[in-house]
Amino acid sequence: MSTTTYIGLGSNLGDSRQLMAEAVHKLAQLGGVRVSRLYQSLPMGPQDQPSYHNAVAQLQTMLEPLALLDELQRFEQEAGRVRLRHWGERSLDLDLLLYGEKNIINERLIVPHVGIFHRDFVIIPLLDLNQNLEIKGHKLHDLEIVQHSTLTVLADSDWAEI
Ligand code: ROI
């Protein structure tokens, strides 16, 4: 049985759109993939860094959570992941946001991802993929952050060409 998972993609170093599209193609080898629109977002963290490209991918996969995490970390490394400082710029971030309905607390992994409710660059693309999504009993659509989002749409959901 496969599980519906959601993976956050972020980048603000290098050719962000290209790095993210390549990551989506690699995800597609792990199962069925759909992607949100592609967004530009203001940096959360130090403000003296470029704005981010953000998106979310929905992946239908047979992999167990830690095996999926291994793959995501491998894809980050393959993208030549650079991380210059804490909460600073990075070439590619792949975050396992949701794994079915599962709550996971592990040395390597917390799911649902801890930052979700505070990040419009995660919530808005999640809603592109599933308008009815609920996390911990909260309908994402009803969250206040949705009304106050400062994201800009860079491209429709065909940006990754999958
Ligand atoms: N800020 C934005 N806008 N988008 C991100 O993906 C992102 N990722 C991060 C931090 C540094 C928290 N800030 C971010 O890891």
Side-chain angles (χ1 to χ4, degrees):
M1 271 293 285
S2 74
T3 304
T4 303
T5 70
Y6 292 89
I7 293 148
L9 298 92
S11 167
N12 73 341
L13 270 186
D15 187 344
S16 295
R17 185 176 176 147
Q18 177 68 22
L19 289 169
M20 290 167 67
E22 285 169 8
V24 169
H25 295 153
K26 291 176 186 177
L27 287 173
Q29 292 168 7
L30 306 179
V33 171
R34 294 171 55 222
V35 291
S36 71
R37 293 181 287 179
L38 180 66
Y39 295 89
Q40 184 169 50
S41 68
L42 297 171
M44 169 180 254
Q47 293 298 296
D48 61 336
Q49 58 178 319
S51 59
Y52 280 76
H53 282 50
N54 282 112
V56 170
Q58 184 192 62
L59 170 68
Q60 205 70 42
T61 186
M62 307 278 279
L63 289 176
E64 292 297 321
L66 290 178
L68 176 55
L69 182 66
D70 286 338
E71 294 297 311
L72 299 181
Q73 292 183 345
R74 186 161 64 85
F75 298 163
E76 287 177 343
Q77 297 306 322
E78 287 173 0
R81 175 170 167 139
V82 180
R83 194 175 178 177
L84 299 178
R85 51 180 165 158
H86 183 62
W87 279 40
E89 42 278 80
R90 66 257 335 262
S91 46
L92 183 65
D93 228 0
L94 298 174
D95 290 332
L96 180 50
L97 303 169
L98 298 171
Y99 186 95
E101 311 262 291
K102 236 178 148 107
N103 290 302
I104 303 167
I105 300 180
N106 176 282
E107 278 178 354
R108 295 182 59 205
L109 187 63
I110 299 180
V111 175
H113 190 276
V114 284
I116 287 185
F117 290 115
H118 306 286
R119 300 181 177 191
D120 60 354
F121 57 84
V122 173
I123 300 285
I124 302 285
L126 277 171
L127 283 168
D128 283 347
L129 291 163
N130 183 349
Q131 282 285 327
N132 300 316
L133 202 58
E134 289 186 23
I135 303 177
K136 295 186 188 276
H138 299 277
K139 282 207 76 177
L140 295 193
H141 188 270
D142 296 339
L143 295 175
E144 211 165 314
I145 196 169
V146 172
Q147 316 306 328
H148 300 134
S149 165
T150 57
L151 300 187
T152 320
V153 177
L154 289 177
D156 226 331
S157 58
D158 55 3
W159 63 271
E161 295 178 356
I162 46 157

